[in-house]
Amino acid sequence: MRYIFLLFLSINIFSSTLHLATSANPSRLNPILATDSSSSEITGFLFNGLVKYDKDLSTIIGDLAEEFYFEDDTTLLFKIKKNVKWHDGKPFSAKDVVFTYEVLISSKISSPYSANFRFVKSVEVVDELTVRVKYKEPYFKALETWMMGILPHHILKDEQNLMNSSFNTNPVGTGAYKLHQLEHSKNIILSAYDEYFEGRAKIDTISFHVIADPMTRFLMLKSSALDVGSIEPMQYERQLDDGFFKKFNIYENISQSYTYLGFNLRLEKFKNPKVREALSLAIDREELVKILFFNHAKVCSGPFLPGTKAFNEDVKVPQQNIQKAKELLREAGYDENNPFTFEIATSNSSEIRPYAAQILQHQLKKAGVVVTLKVMEWQAFLNMTVFPRKFDSVLLGWGLSPTPDPYMFWHSQSDKKGGFNLVGYHNPQMDKMIEESQSMVDGEKLSNIWREMFKIITDDNPYLFLYIPNSITAISKEIKNVEPSPAGIWHNYIEWEK
């Protein structure tokens, strides 16, 4: 008995835990339904796709797939690794891939990721570890589509309502970690999966602390209650002492994301392009970046990120022009006696965005625009404002892939329940260009049409593109083997030690 107790004690003493924070409860721990940042972050540890980007974001490499290649322009073959097991010990097979595809295209679910599979003609099992995917036509993102996490056929084959399934809070994946405990508004604990096909992760447990208040997250990081945490520029410049830098390493690089103010174009007040242009000219993006970020960010000029083949460097950031903004508003029927009024809705999950909303409110006031603010808790913001499209405008951000897919955000067909065209942007010219671009495999032609789209979208002002923040991450010096790269810090997390 004494021996068993000592053995238990030694296991606990030598087990390691990585402490992280998430700003909200995950809505669904299911890769095809994870649309909020908390769900996406956690499912990334639980599930795998067939392929993934390498650490330099330059090449697509195998994940669940051992090998993959195009048999012709429209046929893709995947050979699956032999030693992959689900968290319940069942073997992974080609049947799971076909099942995931069939779920994604079914009418039973509402997922923005379904759009990625719209060019797939068929997905078939060749043998237990081989899948053949046929496309209706050549598709420039054919491979990237299969970065989507795969679902277990043997668990979900008879599920009638995946949207509300218990699987979404009790998931079974193939990832390096499996769900151990889910306590809403408290802790989400993941434990290393012993039979992970790339080898067991060296850190035994990941504990996500659900902390809505950004200041509380920051104070926990400072006190070393968290091992990894994001730092806002003002905190980095003004609120950290030498003691912090002795305990933490800092990794900073430009993020693969941007923040925007999106107008609900379904509302009459935003349908006049003069109004949208006036609002764009009334704000000072440089001032926003300077006040909020202390130069740890850059101004965003459009829908695709700098450094990508879709970026149009000829499109310049609009400069603040209050006089011109007032003229345009007058032409649209607004003046001092009848001011243009609207509400900005955002979430307090980011410390920065409520401040950004206040600065925008102040800047727009100079042009006679009356702005009210609504700041909400993240899940309430999504479920009561964003998803039901009940807003005047939203202050939000998008994280983007190195290869953009304009369809998801800018095509009329993506203005639907579960779609990412949140603002209701409809432009027949844009729809046609997006549709033409999907089957382009010539890189130069694709880049040219993307750059044209960039200009059309920015000219239409469905969003006010605001800023691209730097990602500043603090990692405890107790964590070993961290390798920063263009893909960020997480690409080799199974090698981390504590």
Side-chain angles (χ1 to χ4, degrees):
M1 191 74 170
R2 184 171 176 272
Y3 171 77
I4 292 171
F5 173 74
L6 289 172
L7 179 63
F8 176 78
L9 189 64
S10 67
I11 288 170
N12 277 278
I13 288 171
F14 293 108
S15 67
S16 52
T17 299
L18 185 69
H19 291 277
L20 307 176
T22 184
S23 62
N25 292 311
S27 57
R28 295 184 180 101
L29 293 177
N30 179 331
I32 72 170
L33 300 175
T35 54
D36 60 285
S37 56
S38 180
S39 299
S40 297
E41 181 180 17
I42 296 169
T43 54
F45 292 99
L46 304 175
F47 293 87
N48 301 84
L50 292 178
V51 292
K52 61 185 178 181
Y53 274 110
D54 69 358
K55 65 179 182 178
D56 297 317
L57 297 176
S58 60
T59 306
I60 293 176
I61 60 175
D63 193 359
L64 293 168
E66 183 78 54
E67 185 185 357
F68 52 92
Y69 55 88
F70 283 94
E71 292 183 318
D72 55 48
D73 285 350
T74 56
T75 309
L76 181 55
L77 202 75
F78 290 102
K79 300 273 190 179
I80 295 164
K81 291 174 180 174
K82 293 184 176 69
N83 60 334
V84 180
K85 290 183 180 179
W86 292 100
H87 292 156
D88 61 2
K90 302 292 185 187
F92 180 88
S93 76
K95 194 183 291 184
D96 297 306
V97 179
V98 174
F99 173 73
T100 302
Y101 165 70
E102 289 174 346
V103 170
L104 271 161
I105 63 165
S106 77
S107 58
K108 293 182 179 179
I109 69 152
S110 176
S111 170
Y113 308 117
S114 300
N116 293 332
F117 295 83
R118 64 194 179 279
F119 288 114
V120 175
K121 183 177 180 181
S122 64
V123 181
E124 59 188 45
V125 173
V126 177
D127 59 44
E128 193 174 348
L129 294 175
T130 309
V131 177
R132 179 177 284 113
V133 183
K134 289 183 178 291
Y135 285 84
K136 299 168 189 172
E137 55 191 71
Y139 178 39
F140 76 103
K141 292 191 75 162
L143 263 179
E144 195 178 15
T145 295
W146 294 99
M147 293 180 184
M148 170 62 63
I150 305 298
L151 298 175
H153 168 263
H154 68 283
I155 292 175
L156 294 172
K157 60 184 177 182
D158 297 321
E159 180 63 61
Q160 295 301 307
N161 186 355
L162 189 58
M163 297 297 290
N164 296 313
S165 170
S166 61
F167 180 86
N168 299 329
T169 52
N170 188 29
V172 173
T174 54
Y177 287 86
K178 57 184 180 178
L179 184 67
H180 176 72
Q181 178 178 302
L182 176 60
E183 288 184 282
H184 279 300
S185 302
K186 193 175 180 185
N187 275 347
I188 297 140
I189 298 174
L190 314 181
S191 57
Y193 181 40
D194 292 335
E195 297 187 69
Y196 184 53
F197 62 90
E198 289 190 333
R200 186 186 189 277
K202 292 179 179 177
I203 292 178
D204 300 302
T205 305
I206 298 178
S207 179
F208 284 91
H209 303 271
V210 181
I211 307 161
D213 179 46
M215 182 51 68
T216 304
R217 295 198 297 270
F218 177 59
L219 293 173
M220 285 184 69
L221 184 66
K222 283 181 73 174
S223 67
S224 295
L226 300 177
D227 295 305
V228 182
S230 295
I231 297 176
E232 302 292 2
M234 184 182 291
Q235 295 167 343
Y236 181 77
E237 294 289 348
R238 302 284 172 87
Q239 298 173 24
L240 298 176
D241 56 23
D242 290 342
F244 183 86
F245 295 106
K246 287 176 183 174
K247 295 187 295 182
F248 288 87
N249 291 315
I250 304 293
Y251 300 93
E252 180 173 3
N253 60 347
I254 191 163
S255 67
Q256 300 287 316
S257 65
Y258 66 81
T259 294
Y260 65 91
L261 181 69
F263 304 123
N264 190 340
L265 303 176
R266 305 167 192 86
L267 302 179
E268 201 61 42
K269 67 167 76 177
F270 290 115
K271 287 182 179 177
N272 190 331
K274 289 183 178 180
V275 167
R276 301 196 301 274
E277 185 183 356
L279 298 177
S280 180
L281 291 172
I283 67 168
D284 185 341
R285 294 161 175 83
E286 294 285 356
E287 183 181 60
L288 203 62
V289 165
K290 187 177 178 182
I291 293 173
L292 293 173
F293 294 98
F294 296 86
N295 296 320
H296 293 277
K298 65 190 301 177
V299 170
C300 181
S301 59
F304 310 131
L305 297 175
T308 66
K309 293 178 180 178
F311 183 72
N312 189 334
E313 59 187 22
D314 295 330
V315 174
K316 303 305 178 189
V317 175
Q319 298 302 300
Q320 187 180 48
N321 187 333
I322 297 296
Q323 194 57 44
K324 177 68 172 172
K326 285 181 174 179
E327 288 174 16
L328 287 166
L329 286 170
R330 273 196 296 272
E331 290 172 19
Y334 300 98
D335 57 25
E336 295 82 358
N337 298 317
N338 178 34
F340 186 81
T341 303
F342 75 101
E343 180 181 76
I344 296 175
T346 194
S347 166
N348 61 5
S349 64
S350 158
E351 190 172 23
I352 290 283
R353 284 186 192 153
Y355 290 133
Q358 289 175 18
I359 294 168
L360 291 171
Q361 181 186 45
H362 175 72
Q363 291 179 347
L364 288 160
K365 187 178 179 181
K366 295 176 184 177
V369 177
V370 177
V371 175
T372 56
L373 305 180
K374 180 165 71 174
V375 179
M376 306 175 70
E377 182 272 330
W378 178 247
Q379 285 297 340
F381 176 54
L382 291 181
N383 296 328
M384 297 170 63
T385 301
V386 177
F387 293 153
R389 315 299 198 246
K390 292 180 179 178
F391 58 83
D392 281 355
S393 71
V394 283
L395 188 60
L396 258 176
W398 290 124
L400 299 182
S401 151
T403 306
D405 185 358
Y407 183 94
M408 292 184 75
F409 305 101
W410 304 111
H411 196 282
S412 299
Q413 292 298 316
S414 293
D415 177 16
K416 62 181 181 180
K417 186 179 180 182
F420 281 160
N421 185 350
L422 304 177
V423 297
Y425 179 69
H426 291 245
N427 181 329
Q429 181 189 5
M430 179 60 57
D431 289 348
K432 187 169 184 291
M433 291 173 74
I434 290 171
E435 289 156 16
E436 287 173 354
S437 72
Q438 305 299 284
S439 59
M440 286 184 181
V441 289
D442 183 310
E444 191 172 341
K445 283 184 180 177
L446 196 51
S447 296
N448 287 337
I449 198 167
W450 278 338
R451 287 194 289 267
E452 283 182 55
M453 290 180 199
F454 191 107
K455 184 173 189 324
I456 291 167
I457 292 167
T458 52
D459 285 349
D460 279 348
N461 288 307
Y463 292 177
L464 301 188
F465 297 96
L466 301 175
Y467 51 79
I468 303 169
N470 284 4
S471 170
I472 308 174
T473 306
I475 303 182
S476 169
K477 290 185 177 181
E478 292 182 3
I479 309 297
K480 309 302 180 189
N481 302 332
V482 177
E483 292 180 5
S485 74
I489 58 167
W490 291 103
H491 67 92
N492 71 328
Y493 67 88
I494 68 168
E495 300 297 330
W496 289 12
E497 293 186 65
K498 183 182 180 185

